[in-house]
Amino acid sequence: MSNSLSDPERVATVDLDVSPPARRPRAAGPYTGIVLATCALFVLSAIVVPKSLSAQSLGAMLPFWAILAIMSAGQTLVIQQRGIDLSIPGVVSLTAMGFVVFVDRNDAPVFVGLLVVVALGVVIGLVNGLINTRINVTPLITTLALNALLVGAMFTYTKGVGSAAPPSLQAFAASSVLGISTLVWLAIATVLVVGFVLRQTAVGRRFVAVGANPDAARAIGVRVDCYIVGAYIAAALLFALAAVLLAGYAQNPAPTMGNPYLFQTVMAVVIGGTSLAGGRGSVVATAVAALFLTQLGQVVLTLGANAAVQLLVQAIAMALALAGAAMLERRRKRTA
Protein backbone atom coordinates (compact mmCIF):
# COMPACT_ATOMS: atom_id res chain seq x y z
CA MET A 1 0.00 0.00 0.00
CA SER A 2 1.35 3.37 -0.97
CA ASN A 3 1.35 6.34 1.37
CA SER A 4 -1.13 9.07 0.59
CA LEU A 5 1.56 11.75 0.99
CA SER A 6 4.87 11.81 -0.77
CA ASP A 7 8.03 12.30 1.30
CA PRO A 8 8.49 15.97 0.41
CA GLU A 9 4.87 16.65 1.23
CA ARG A 10 5.22 14.77 4.53
CA VAL A 11 8.23 16.89 5.53
CA ALA A 12 6.40 20.04 4.62
CA THR A 13 3.57 19.18 7.01
CA VAL A 14 5.89 18.73 9.99
CA ASP A 15 6.21 21.82 12.18
CA LEU A 16 9.86 22.03 13.01
CA ASP A 17 10.61 24.46 15.87
CA VAL A 18 14.36 24.84 15.85
CA SER A 19 14.48 28.23 17.55
CA PRO A 20 16.51 28.25 20.79
CA PRO A 21 14.55 28.26 24.04
CA ALA A 22 13.89 31.67 25.47
CA ARG A 23 16.49 32.67 28.03
CA ARG A 24 15.51 34.14 31.31
CA PRO A 25 16.87 37.58 31.99
CA ARG A 26 20.04 37.27 33.96
CA ALA A 27 19.75 38.81 37.39
CA ALA A 28 22.32 41.34 38.47
CA GLY A 29 25.07 39.91 40.63
CA PRO A 30 25.28 40.77 44.31
CA TYR A 31 28.27 43.05 43.71
CA THR A 32 26.97 44.96 40.70
CA GLY A 33 25.24 47.59 42.80
CA ILE A 34 28.34 48.88 44.57
CA VAL A 35 30.29 49.14 41.31
CA LEU A 36 27.52 51.17 39.68
CA ALA A 37 27.08 53.30 42.80
CA THR A 38 30.80 54.07 42.95
CA CYS A 39 30.90 55.05 39.28
CA ALA A 40 27.84 57.25 39.79
CA LEU A 41 29.43 58.89 42.82
CA PHE A 42 32.55 59.84 40.87
CA VAL A 43 30.44 61.21 38.01
CA LEU A 44 28.38 63.23 40.49
CA SER A 45 31.56 64.41 42.19
CA ALA A 46 32.91 65.69 38.88
CA ILE A 47 29.71 67.68 38.34
CA VAL A 48 28.97 68.98 41.83
CA VAL A 49 32.37 69.05 43.57
CA PRO A 50 35.08 68.91 40.90
CA LYS A 51 37.68 69.91 43.50
CA SER A 52 37.29 66.49 45.09
CA LEU A 53 38.72 64.91 41.93
CA SER A 54 41.73 67.16 41.57
CA ALA A 55 45.15 65.53 41.59
CA GLN A 56 45.84 66.95 45.03
CA SER A 57 42.55 65.68 46.49
CA LEU A 58 42.94 62.22 44.99
CA GLY A 59 46.53 62.07 46.18
CA ALA A 60 45.36 62.76 49.72
CA MET A 61 42.33 60.46 49.55
CA LEU A 62 43.73 57.29 47.98
CA PRO A 63 46.24 56.39 50.75
CA PHE A 64 43.40 56.44 53.29
CA TRP A 65 41.34 54.29 50.93
CA ALA A 66 44.25 51.86 50.74
CA ILE A 67 44.43 51.50 54.51
CA LEU A 68 40.66 51.11 54.81
CA ALA A 69 40.63 48.54 51.98
CA ILE A 70 43.27 46.37 53.68
CA MET A 71 41.46 46.46 57.01
CA SER A 72 38.10 45.81 55.33
CA ALA A 73 39.54 42.76 53.58
CA GLY A 74 40.29 41.32 57.01
CA GLN A 75 36.79 42.13 58.23
CA THR A 76 35.38 40.41 55.13
CA LEU A 77 37.14 37.16 56.02
CA VAL A 78 35.64 37.17 59.50
CA ILE A 79 32.12 38.03 58.36
CA GLN A 80 32.32 35.28 55.74
CA GLN A 81 32.71 32.91 58.69
CA ARG A 82 29.51 34.26 60.28
CA GLY A 83 31.46 36.37 62.74
CA ILE A 84 32.41 39.98 63.28
CA ASP A 85 35.58 41.55 64.67
CA LEU A 86 34.94 44.53 66.93
CA SER A 87 38.48 44.48 68.30
CA ILE A 88 39.81 46.44 65.34
CA PRO A 89 40.11 49.81 67.19
CA GLY A 90 42.21 48.17 69.89
CA VAL A 91 44.32 46.24 67.38
CA VAL A 92 45.04 49.36 65.33
CA SER A 93 45.79 51.58 68.31
CA LEU A 94 47.96 49.03 70.08
CA THR A 95 49.99 48.00 67.03
CA ALA A 96 50.42 51.52 65.66
CA MET A 97 51.30 53.15 68.98
CA GLY A 98 53.15 50.11 70.27
CA PHE A 99 55.23 49.85 67.10
CA VAL A 100 56.51 53.43 67.11
CA VAL A 101 57.12 53.44 70.88
CA PHE A 102 58.91 50.08 70.78
CA VAL A 103 61.21 51.17 67.96
CA ASP A 104 61.90 54.53 69.61
CA ARG A 105 62.55 53.26 73.14
CA ASN A 106 64.70 50.32 72.12
CA ASP A 107 66.37 51.95 69.12
CA ALA A 108 65.28 48.82 67.25
CA PRO A 109 65.31 48.38 63.47
CA VAL A 110 61.97 48.73 61.70
CA PHE A 111 62.19 45.09 60.62
CA VAL A 112 62.30 43.93 64.25
CA GLY A 113 59.33 46.13 65.08
CA LEU A 114 57.41 44.56 62.20
CA LEU A 115 58.17 41.08 63.49
CA VAL A 116 56.75 42.08 66.87
CA VAL A 117 53.64 43.46 65.17
CA VAL A 118 53.15 40.25 63.18
CA ALA A 119 53.54 38.12 66.31
CA LEU A 120 51.09 40.34 68.16
CA GLY A 121 48.57 40.07 65.33
CA VAL A 122 48.81 36.28 65.33
CA VAL A 123 48.27 36.12 69.09
CA ILE A 124 45.28 38.48 68.97
CA GLY A 125 43.64 36.55 66.15
CA LEU A 126 44.34 33.23 67.84
CA VAL A 127 42.75 34.40 71.08
CA ASN A 128 39.67 35.68 69.26
CA GLY A 129 39.30 32.50 67.25
CA LEU A 130 39.85 30.04 70.10
CA ILE A 131 37.42 31.79 72.43
CA ASN A 132 34.78 31.71 69.69
CA THR A 133 35.32 28.08 68.73
CA ARG A 134 36.39 26.38 71.96
CA ILE A 135 34.47 28.31 74.60
CA ASN A 136 31.59 29.16 72.26
CA VAL A 137 31.36 32.80 73.25
CA THR A 138 29.68 34.84 70.53
CA PRO A 139 32.04 36.87 68.30
CA LEU A 140 30.30 40.10 69.28
CA ILE A 141 31.11 39.67 72.97
CA THR A 142 34.53 38.11 72.46
CA THR A 143 35.94 40.75 70.16
CA LEU A 144 34.36 43.65 72.07
CA ALA A 145 35.90 42.44 75.33
CA LEU A 146 39.27 41.88 73.70
CA ASN A 147 39.11 45.36 72.24
CA ALA A 148 38.86 46.81 75.76
CA LEU A 149 41.84 44.71 76.86
CA LEU A 150 43.92 45.85 73.89
CA VAL A 151 43.14 49.51 74.51
CA GLY A 152 44.13 49.03 78.15
CA ALA A 153 47.35 47.30 77.11
CA MET A 154 48.14 50.17 74.74
CA PHE A 155 47.76 52.79 77.49
CA THR A 156 49.73 50.63 79.93
CA TYR A 157 52.67 50.26 77.55
CA THR A 158 52.73 53.72 75.99
CA LYS A 159 51.23 55.76 78.87
CA GLY A 160 49.14 57.40 76.17
CA VAL A 161 52.20 59.17 74.77
CA GLY A 162 53.35 58.13 71.33
CA SER A 163 56.45 58.77 69.29
CA ALA A 164 57.11 59.82 65.73
CA ALA A 165 57.17 57.01 63.23
CA PRO A 166 60.66 55.98 62.07
CA PRO A 167 61.89 58.15 59.17
CA SER A 168 62.26 55.11 56.91
CA LEU A 169 58.62 54.15 57.51
CA GLN A 170 57.49 57.73 56.88
CA ALA A 171 59.44 57.80 53.62
CA PHE A 172 57.96 54.48 52.53
CA ALA A 173 54.40 55.55 53.32
CA ALA A 174 54.87 58.82 51.42
CA SER A 175 56.54 57.22 48.39
CA SER A 176 54.88 56.55 45.06
CA VAL A 177 55.31 54.26 42.07
CA LEU A 178 54.33 55.50 38.61
CA GLY A 179 52.79 58.55 40.26
CA ILE A 180 50.51 56.47 42.50
CA SER A 181 51.01 56.06 46.24
CA THR A 182 52.84 52.91 47.27
CA LEU A 183 50.07 52.28 49.82
CA VAL A 184 47.58 52.05 46.97
CA TRP A 185 49.68 49.43 45.19
CA LEU A 186 49.96 47.46 48.43
CA ALA A 187 46.20 47.57 48.92
CA ILE A 188 45.55 46.40 45.36
CA ALA A 189 48.05 43.56 45.76
CA THR A 190 46.54 42.52 49.09
CA VAL A 191 42.99 42.47 47.74
CA LEU A 192 43.98 40.53 44.62
CA VAL A 193 45.99 37.94 46.56
CA VAL A 194 43.22 37.36 49.12
CA GLY A 195 40.61 37.20 46.36
CA PHE A 196 42.71 34.72 44.36
CA VAL A 197 43.17 32.45 47.39
CA LEU A 198 39.45 32.46 48.15
CA ARG A 199 38.28 31.78 44.60
CA GLN A 200 41.04 29.81 42.92
CA THR A 201 42.43 27.49 45.59
CA ALA A 202 41.04 24.45 47.35
CA VAL A 203 41.67 26.07 50.73
CA GLY A 204 39.69 29.12 49.68
CA ARG A 205 36.76 27.06 48.40
CA ARG A 206 36.64 25.10 51.65
CA PHE A 207 36.82 28.40 53.55
CA VAL A 208 33.75 29.68 51.69
CA ALA A 209 31.96 26.35 52.21
CA VAL A 210 32.58 26.50 55.96
CA GLY A 211 31.09 29.97 56.13
CA ALA A 212 28.07 29.02 54.02
CA ASN A 213 27.19 25.85 55.94
CA PRO A 214 29.53 24.78 58.75
CA ASP A 215 27.47 21.71 59.62
CA ALA A 216 27.63 20.36 56.07
CA ALA A 217 31.33 21.13 55.88
CA ARG A 218 31.95 19.32 59.15
CA ALA A 219 29.94 16.33 57.92
CA ILE A 220 32.28 15.85 54.94
CA GLY A 221 35.38 16.02 57.14
CA VAL A 222 36.40 19.68 56.89
CA ARG A 223 38.04 21.00 60.07
CA VAL A 224 35.66 23.89 60.55
CA ASP A 225 37.28 25.36 63.66
CA CYS A 226 40.63 25.68 61.88
CA TYR A 227 39.11 27.83 59.17
CA ILE A 228 37.28 30.04 61.66
CA VAL A 229 40.42 30.56 63.75
CA GLY A 230 42.41 31.15 60.58
CA ALA A 231 39.97 33.88 59.54
CA TYR A 232 40.51 35.76 62.80
CA ILE A 233 44.28 35.39 62.57
CA ALA A 234 44.36 36.64 58.97
CA ALA A 235 42.08 39.54 59.88
CA ALA A 236 44.21 40.58 62.87
CA LEU A 237 47.34 40.45 60.72
CA LEU A 238 45.75 42.69 58.09
CA PHE A 239 44.55 45.10 60.78
CA ALA A 240 47.99 45.26 62.37
CA LEU A 241 49.96 45.72 59.14
CA ALA A 242 47.54 48.39 57.94
CA ALA A 243 47.94 50.12 61.30
CA VAL A 244 51.72 50.28 60.82
CA LEU A 245 51.22 51.81 57.37
CA LEU A 246 48.79 54.30 58.89
CA ALA A 247 51.35 55.19 61.56
CA GLY A 248 53.92 55.89 58.86
CA TYR A 249 51.53 57.96 56.78
CA ALA A 250 50.21 59.94 59.77
CA GLN A 251 53.79 60.21 61.14
CA ASN A 252 52.56 60.69 64.74
CA PRO A 253 49.97 58.04 65.64
CA ALA A 254 47.37 58.83 68.31
CA PRO A 255 45.77 56.51 70.88
CA THR A 256 42.33 56.84 69.28
CA MET A 257 43.39 56.49 65.66
CA GLY A 258 41.75 53.07 65.34
CA ASN A 259 38.25 54.18 66.41
CA PRO A 260 36.88 55.26 62.99
CA TYR A 261 37.75 51.93 61.39
CA LEU A 262 35.28 49.89 63.43
CA PHE A 263 32.24 51.39 61.73
CA GLN A 264 33.90 51.95 58.36
CA THR A 265 35.15 48.39 57.87
CA VAL A 266 31.78 46.87 58.71
CA MET A 267 30.11 49.36 56.36
CA ALA A 268 32.51 48.51 53.54
CA VAL A 269 31.82 44.80 53.95
CA VAL A 270 28.03 45.22 54.08
CA ILE A 271 27.85 47.74 51.23
CA GLY A 272 30.18 45.51 49.22
CA GLY A 273 27.57 42.75 49.27
CA THR A 274 29.15 40.21 51.61
CA SER A 275 26.44 38.16 53.29
CA LEU A 276 26.15 38.58 57.04
CA ALA A 277 24.91 34.98 57.08
CA GLY A 278 28.37 33.80 55.98
CA GLY A 279 29.78 32.17 52.87
CA ARG A 280 29.16 34.57 50.02
CA GLY A 281 31.52 37.53 49.82
CA SER A 282 34.08 39.34 47.71
CA VAL A 283 37.12 41.24 48.94
CA VAL A 284 37.24 43.04 45.59
CA ALA A 285 33.68 44.31 46.08
CA THR A 286 34.62 45.28 49.63
CA ALA A 287 37.56 47.30 48.31
CA VAL A 288 35.24 49.06 45.84
CA ALA A 289 32.87 49.82 48.71
CA ALA A 290 35.79 51.23 50.70
CA LEU A 291 36.55 53.51 47.74
CA PHE A 292 32.90 54.57 47.68
CA LEU A 293 32.96 55.46 51.39
CA THR A 294 36.27 57.28 51.16
CA GLN A 295 35.18 59.39 48.19
CA LEU A 296 31.82 60.04 49.82
CA GLY A 297 33.61 61.39 52.89
CA GLN A 298 35.85 63.47 50.64
CA VAL A 299 32.84 65.03 48.94
CA VAL A 300 31.11 65.80 52.23
CA LEU A 301 34.22 67.42 53.69
CA THR A 302 34.85 69.40 50.49
CA LEU A 303 31.34 70.79 50.77
CA GLY A 304 32.25 72.08 54.22
CA ALA A 305 30.21 69.65 56.33
CA ASN A 306 31.56 68.48 59.67
CA ALA A 307 32.40 64.94 60.79
CA ALA A 308 28.93 64.41 62.30
CA VAL A 309 27.29 65.04 58.92
CA GLN A 310 29.79 62.67 57.31
CA LEU A 311 28.80 59.87 59.69
CA LEU A 312 25.13 60.57 59.02
CA VAL A 313 25.66 60.37 55.26
CA GLN A 314 27.58 57.11 55.65
CA ALA A 315 24.81 55.64 57.81
CA ILE A 316 22.23 56.56 55.16
CA ALA A 317 24.42 54.98 52.49
CA MET A 318 24.63 51.79 54.54
CA ALA A 319 20.86 51.68 55.02
CA LEU A 320 20.31 52.15 51.28
CA ALA A 321 22.86 49.43 50.54
CA LEU A 322 21.09 46.97 52.83
CA ALA A 323 17.74 47.79 51.24
CA GLY A 324 19.20 47.40 47.77
CA ALA A 325 20.81 44.09 48.68
CA ALA A 326 17.48 42.79 49.96
CA MET A 327 15.74 43.82 46.73
CA LEU A 328 18.42 42.13 44.58
CA GLU A 329 18.13 38.96 46.65
CA ARG A 330 14.37 38.83 46.15
CA ARG A 331 14.82 39.44 42.43
CA ARG A 332 17.37 36.62 42.12
CA LYS A 333 14.97 34.24 43.88
CA ARG A 334 12.15 35.15 41.49
CA THR A 335 14.32 34.63 38.40
CA ALA A 336 16.00 31.47 39.68
Side-chain angles (χ1 to χ4, degrees):
M1 179 182 292
S2 62
N3 292 329
S4 59
L5 293 177
S6 63
D7 290 340
E9 291 173 329
R10 190 189 307 277
V11 173
T13 61
V14 178
D15 184 15
L16 296 178
D17 185 7
V18 295
S19 60
R23 293 183 179 180
R24 294 181 179 179
R26 186 176 180 180
Y31 316 118
T32 305
I34 185 57
V35 175
L36 295 177
T38 303
C39 293
L41 176 62
F42 275 90
V43 172
L44 186 63
S45 300
I47 298 172
V48 179
V49 196
K51 289 183 179 179
S52 66
L53 295 180
S54 66
Q56 183 178 3
S57 296
L58 290 176
M61 179 269 287
L62 287 176
F64 288 105
W65 163 78
I67 292 168
L68 176 59
I70 295 173
M71 294 186 188
S72 299
Q75 191 73 267
T76 301
L77 296 177
V78 173
I79 291 180
Q80 280 190 276
Q81 294 302 311
R82 303 188 174 195
I84 191 169
D85 197 335
L86 302 183
S87 67
I88 184 169
V91 176
V92 172
S93 297
L94 176 60
T95 52
M97 289 281 290
F99 171 80
V100 297
V101 171
F102 173 81
V103 172
D104 183 55
R105 288 181 182 176
N106 299 282
D107 196 22
V110 171
F111 177 73
V112 175
L114 287 175
L115 290 179
V116 173
V117 166
V118 169
L120 189 59
V122 171
V123 171
I124 292 171
L126 189 62
V127 170
N128 268 332
L130 290 178
I131 292 177
N132 287 326
T133 57
R134 299 300 183 184
I135 308 179
N136 292 324
V137 179
T138 61
L140 183 70
I141 301 301
T142 300
T143 57
L144 194 60
L146 187 60
N147 177 70
L149 290 175
L150 295 175
V151 172
M154 182 271 297
F155 278 108
T156 300
Y157 181 67
T158 66
K159 309 302 181 185
V161 180
S163 303
S168 59
L169 180 61
Q170 293 186 31
F172 177 80
S175 65
S176 62
V177 178
L178 300 177
I180 300 175
S181 172
T182 303
L183 301 185
V184 173
W185 292 115
L186 284 176
I188 293 173
T190 300
V191 169
L192 292 180
V193 168
V194 174
F196 176 83
V197 171
L198 290 179
R199 292 193 175 266
Q200 303 298 328
T201 68
V203 171
R205 288 189 286 271
R206 285 195 292 267
F207 179 89
V208 174
V210 168
N213 194 330
D215 292 332
R218 189 177 287 108
I220 61 175
V222 178
R223 301 177 65 180
V224 171
D225 289 354
C226 291
Y227 285 91
I228 295 175
V229 173
Y232 281 97
I233 292 175
L237 281 172
L238 291 174
F239 299 159
L241 294 176
V244 172
L245 295 176
L246 179 60
Y249 190 74
Q251 299 183 359
N252 291 282
T256 58
M257 69 186 307
N259 292 350
Y261 291 99
L262 172 60
F263 186 48
Q264 291 180 3
T265 55
V266 175
M267 281 187 63
V269 174
V270 172
I271 294 176
T274 295
S275 174
L276 295 175
R280 190 190 74 219
S282 169
V283 290
V284 175
T286 295
V288 175
L291 180 61
F292 174 87
L293 292 173
T294 309
Q295 176 61 16
L296 183 63
Q298 182 92 334
V299 170
V300 173
L301 291 178
T302 305
L303 290 173
N306 56 29
V309 175
Q310 181 178 349
L311 290 175
L312 178 61
V313 171
Q314 289 179 344
I316 293 173
M318 184 173 182
L320 292 175
L322 288 173
M327 291 176 60
L328 287 174
E329 186 66 25
R330 288 195 295 269
R331 183 179 178 183
R332 281 196 299 273
K333 288 180 179 180
R334 288 197 301 266
T335 58

